Amino acid sequence: MSGPTLRSSFSPYPDDLVTTARRLDNGEITSRALIEHCLEALERCENARAAFTGDFSADRARQYADAADRIRAKGYQASPWAGLPISIKDLFDIKGQVTRAGSTLLADRSPAIADAEALVPLRTAGFIFVGRTQMTEFAYSGLGLNPHGPQPWNSLIEEAKAIPGGSTSGGAISVATGSALAAIGSDTGGSCRIPAAMNALTGFKPTAARISRKGMIPLSPSFDSVGSIAQSVTDCALLDHLMSGETDRWEAPEAAEGTIRLLLPTSFVRNDADSQVLAVFETVMRHLDKDGIEIVRQPLPILQDIADLNIQAQIVAAEAFHYFHDELLHHSDQFDPRVRERIASGDRTSVQALRQLHIERQKLCARFTSEMTGFDAMICPTSPILPPPIEACLDPDSYGRFNRLVLRNPSLANLLDGCSFSLPLNWKGFAAGIMLTACNGRDRALQRIARRCENRLKA
């Protein structure tokens, strides 16, 4: 197979969150050593620096790390997660910092007076927020491009700077370069799963109502959700557990037992796919389809109606237009032109039309639950294409075409109010992923299914 050359020397921090926490508890490493690793990654790697906005404070991170180490050294029962460095998308309020959402329009806002609600349990657990990460302006694109800078790029493709995936672009690159052990992001149409897939990482989008979005700048309240990017299903499950406010004791999800039935739709999700993506995807499907994992190939009728109705694009644009109306009216020249055009298109959707779109969406959600009867999850490529070069996306028509393609499959979970994982295709750092999507509220079940698939992919 021909295709882009992959970067073999690029790797994230060698251990995931849960393994690193165990090593901290055993005294094998210190939190200060972890922070120094992050700082070293920033120093040696231009892409790591581009992953962050201007809010990375080395001194603050070191202070928090030293405090976590002192607590452990004195034998106190600290949180097992104290001193672990993670990054935060520039969409969430962090106390004392300005939330810009990847835009120059919000640079003059007052610093936040409190952390976003989703971050409060993470702060309480002792995670160190090493910095705010770059993103598509207002999270309105799946490519991860932002003309306001800095501009991170794909961590895997060698010969030309390719898109990092978005909108949580900096979050994925922070993990891929070892400048953070995990990243918190938002997911309105794939914004955690797309960059995770394109950088050989794991991304999770929970059922939207599961985690509070208070203190997060919205794009579309109907579809926004709080997700994560990490090195494993277990790490994403941990972060999800904490941010959702679950009070039971956390235990790593065990791999689902018994027979798992996964539905692979025979149309829509594979349309217009790169031949290289399909070839590797089919190889991985043959590897998965054994030992109690059954992959059933058949049509999923709802997908054709989703393609015809275009409900999600209209709702997102209308809700974004409502929220950013004043900025469009008074400061339209400060927007990324590509984002401005998409938000402005929401003006064409009347209140009555928006209400009808929501009714149609509710019908689709019910249909999805019905058509998935007998299946544990749907499986398909996360993105049907490999990350194109950034240069190839600068033309407006190409930008629009690539953006529609990378968002198409992941956005299904948002439209249908489900939960979804992207797992690395696990093919020598291949810049693509496989996606597992389950119905509303089946987050814990999906985590177990994803663990089973993850274990099989590593076998």
Side-chain angles (χ1 to χ4, degrees), residues 1 11 59 73 77 105 124 127 159 165 180 249 271 324 358 378:
M1 289 180 289
S11 62
D59 289 341
Q77 184 59 43
L105 281 160
T124 302
F127 284 93
E159 74 270 19
R249 182 178 177 273
N271 294 349
F324 294 108
H358 281 295
M378 180 175 70

Side-chain angles (χ1 to χ4, degrees), residues 114-246:
D115 290 337
E117 283 192 356
L119 303 185
V120 171
L122 302 179
R123 177 87 77 181
T124 302
F127 284 93
I128 299 174
F129 302 164
V130 293
R132 309 178 69 89
T133 53
Q134 179 61 300
M135 54 180 284
T136 308
E137 185 177 61
F138 301 129
Y140 209 175
S141 167
L143 303 183
L145 305 183
N146 190 323
H148 307 310
Q151 178 59 64
W153 58 91
N154 193 278
S155 66
L156 295 172
I157 297 175
E158 184 74 69
E159 74 270 19
K161 287 185 178 179
I163 65 167
S167 63
T168 314
S169 52
I173 301 305
S174 74
V175 180
T177 58
S179 48
L181 269 64
I184 305 302
S186 65
D187 192 310
T188 305
S191 288
C192 281
R193 291 161 290 152
I194 295 167
M198 290 185 172
N199 292 277
L201 298 168
T202 300
F204 181 53
K205 172 240 175 301
T207 299
R210 184 171 169 79
I211 299 175
S212 171
R213 287 157 285 173
K214 185 176 180 181
M216 181 183 97
I217 293 178
L219 174 63
S220 173
S222 296
F223 299 110
D224 294 340
S225 57
V226 179
S228 56
I229 300 172
Q231 295 188 57
S232 68
V233 170
T234 299
D235 281 2
C236 288
L238 165 65
L239 296 169
D240 173 74
H241 169 84
L242 293 170
M243 291 190 292
S244 66
E246 291 181 338

Side-chain angles (χ1 to χ4, degrees), residues 406-427:
V406 302
L407 287 168
R408 185 191 65 202
N409 293 355
S411 66
L412 293 172
N414 303 83
L415 173 63
L416 300 169
D417 199 19
C419 48
S420 186
F421 265 101
S422 179
L423 306 179
L425 267 175
N426 200 32
W427 192 271

Side-chain angles (χ1 to χ4, degrees), residues 13 43 86 186 207 281 286 340 343 367 380 390 456:
Y13 185 75
E43 182 178 350
I86 61 174
S186 65
T207 299
F281 179 76
R286 289 191 294 271
R340 179 181 63 224
I343 293 178
R367 273 189 61 190
C380 66
I390 292 174
R456 183 69 194 141

